[in-house]
């Protein structure tokens, strides 16, 4: 019986999770042509197409998705087996706080991968506002926190070399559903989180500074609620790039809305020195955030 090459399976999984072969290049540290050849070998071995390639990237075929599901389990078992042989089967609790603006579609996959790699890990996760993430990590209520920092907020200096790390920068977009019809002369119906949200306050101040009339059409309790309201065509929202779901379109120019600088996502640790388990989870988060 033929056996799959784990490296080829890892390439397939990474390409699907990142959405394209080009996005998988910096993670796997291989050229795009090499990754394409690896996927071709897998398809030849399986006898069926595994990916549908297009201008927007790649999506798995039904057979490709089945293989991805199998591959994730095989790769997780490989990691566990290697760690066992190295005496690295870490166990314990890790408390993680994340802002819901941070890659909301990707977070469930990321958490599954962490749990698959560390089967003895007890992972405690909370979705909080960025300001609360920082407060709770500083108070050592959580071991690690991922928060969003707005353009006009200077990052606080870390108290340790590894205590705060920049994960990624993302542009901010004004978005709405295609069913929403507005003209530049109309007040903009805004979908946002409550006024306690820093991004809400920032974007409203930008609209006021540019003298762009608006009103709050819907106040949601979280980003998932904003997605529902936007999909229903209730208004316009400002979201970072990774928090924009499919089906929404950018409307910055169409409604003459102010252009906004990018935001930054940081990962903070409760203490400069962390346990081996927290350090491993921190590195996984950092690598997956790229």
């Amino acid at each position: 019986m033929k056996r799959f090459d784990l490296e080829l399976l890892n390439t397939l999984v990474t390409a699907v999770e990142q959405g394209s072969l080009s996005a998988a290049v910096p993670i796997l540290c291989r050229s795009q042509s090499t990754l394409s050849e690896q996927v071709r070998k897998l398809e030849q071995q399986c006898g069926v197409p595994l990916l549908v390639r297009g201008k927007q990237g790649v999506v798995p075929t039904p057979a490709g998705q089945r293989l991805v599901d199998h591959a994730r389990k095989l790769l997780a078992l490989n990691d566990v087996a290697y760690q066992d042989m190295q005496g690295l089967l870490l166990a314990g609790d890790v408390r993680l706080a994340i802002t819901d603006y941070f890659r909301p579609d990707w977070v469930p996959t990321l958490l599954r991968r962490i749990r698959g790699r560390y089967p003895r890990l007890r992972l405690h996760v909370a979705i909080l506002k960025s300001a609360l993430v920082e407060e709770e990590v500083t108070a050592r209520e959580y071991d690690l926190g991922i928060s969003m920092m707005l353009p006009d907020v200077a990052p606080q200096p870390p108290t340790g070399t590894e205590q705060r790390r920049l994960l990624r920068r993302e542009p901010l977009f004004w978005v709405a559903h295609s069913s929403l019809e507005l003209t530049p002369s109309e007040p903009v119906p805004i979908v946002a989180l409550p006024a306690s949200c820093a991004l809400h306050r920032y974007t409203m101040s930008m609209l006021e500074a540019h003298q762009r009339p608006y009103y709050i059409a819907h106040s949601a309790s979280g980003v998932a609620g904003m997605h529902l309201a936007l999909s229903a065509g209730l208004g316009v929202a400002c979201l970072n790039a990774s928090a924009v779901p499919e089906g929404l379109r950018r409307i910055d120019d169409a409604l003459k809305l102010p252009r906004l600088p990018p935001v930054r996502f940081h990962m903070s640790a409760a203490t400069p020195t962390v346990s081996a388990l927290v350090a491993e989870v921190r590195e996984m988060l950092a690598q997956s955030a790229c």
Side-chain angles (χ1 to χ4, degrees):
M1 180 181 292
K2 293 184 178 180
R3 292 176 173 82
F4 285 110
D5 184 325
L6 290 178
E7 290 299 323
L8 302 187
L9 293 178
N10 188 46
T11 294
L12 177 68
V13 170
T14 304
V16 169
E17 291 179 344
Q18 296 300 315
S20 69
L21 288 170
S22 59
V25 166
I27 296 174
L28 298 175
C29 300
R30 289 180 172 83
S31 68
Q32 187 167 343
S33 60
T34 298
L35 299 187
S36 295
E37 177 62 19
Q38 289 180 330
V39 172
R40 188 194 67 77
K41 287 180 179 178
L42 264 182
E43 290 179 323
Q44 187 176 38
Q45 185 174 1
C46 294
V48 293
L50 299 174
L51 296 177
V52 177
R53 299 159 176 82
K55 293 182 179 179
Q56 302 301 317
V58 297
V59 293
T61 63
Q65 186 59 58
R66 293 199 304 274
L67 183 56
V68 165
D69 293 340
H70 290 307
R72 286 179 175 139
K73 297 174 185 176
L74 292 170
L75 292 168
L77 284 173
N78 176 80
D79 291 342
V80 170
Y82 180 80
Q83 291 161 15
D84 187 20
M85 293 300 98
Q86 300 298 312
L88 297 174
L89 270 183
L90 300 174
D93 295 79
V94 174
R95 300 161 300 166
L96 174 63
I98 309 176
T99 170
D100 55 356
Y101 284 106
F102 179 74
R103 306 188 72 184
D105 291 341
W106 168 244
V107 167
T109 299
L110 173 60
L111 297 180
R112 284 195 300 271
R113 291 184 70 178
I114 292 174
R115 288 181 60 82
R117 180 173 293 186
Y118 305 108
R120 299 182 185 176
L121 166 68
R122 292 183 296 272
L123 188 62
H124 309 272
V125 182
I127 306 298
L128 305 172
K129 295 175 183 176
S130 288
L132 191 54
V133 169
E134 292 291 328
E135 290 176 11
E136 295 287 282
V137 171
T138 300
R140 301 189 181 183
E141 294 295 326
Y142 290 90
D143 302 299
L144 298 169
I146 297 177
S147 58
M148 182 172 70
M149 196 162 292
L150 298 176
D152 62 346
V153 178
Q156 298 177 356
T159 56
T161 56
E162 287 294 321
Q163 208 161 338
R164 178 176 286 110
R165 180 187 302 189
L166 175 65
L167 292 180
R168 60 192 283 133
R169 292 181 175 85
E170 290 189 16
L172 290 173
F173 299 134
W174 296 99
V175 296
H177 194 266
S178 57
S179 63
L180 182 66
E181 296 182 1
L182 293 171
T183 66
S185 61
E186 293 180 75
V188 183
I190 296 294
V191 172
L193 298 188
S196 56
C197 171
L199 182 59
H200 171 106
R201 297 194 300 271
Y202 177 76
T203 52
M204 298 309 101
S205 68
M206 292 293 289
L207 289 170
E208 291 162 5
H210 286 77
Q211 300 183 338
R212 186 68 175 89
Y214 71 91
Y215 64 94
I216 302 299
H218 182 84
S219 180
S221 60
V223 171
M226 292 176 67
H227 289 170
L228 290 174
L230 289 167
S231 297
L234 298 185
V236 173
C238 178
L239 289 172
N240 53 295
S242 72
V244 178
E246 292 184 9
L248 300 185
R249 59 189 175 93
R250 288 183 58 182
I251 56 168
D252 310 61
D253 296 332
L255 296 184
K256 299 182 179 179
L257 295 169
R259 291 295 182 93
L260 302 172
V263 294
R264 303 183 301 276
F265 286 95
H266 289 262
M267 179 166 55
S268 302
T271 58
T273 304
V274 298
S275 68
L277 183 59
V278 172
E280 288 289 329
V281 172
R282 181 177 60 188
E283 290 308 310
M284 270 196 81
L285 289 168
Q287 293 172 13
S288 300
C290 299

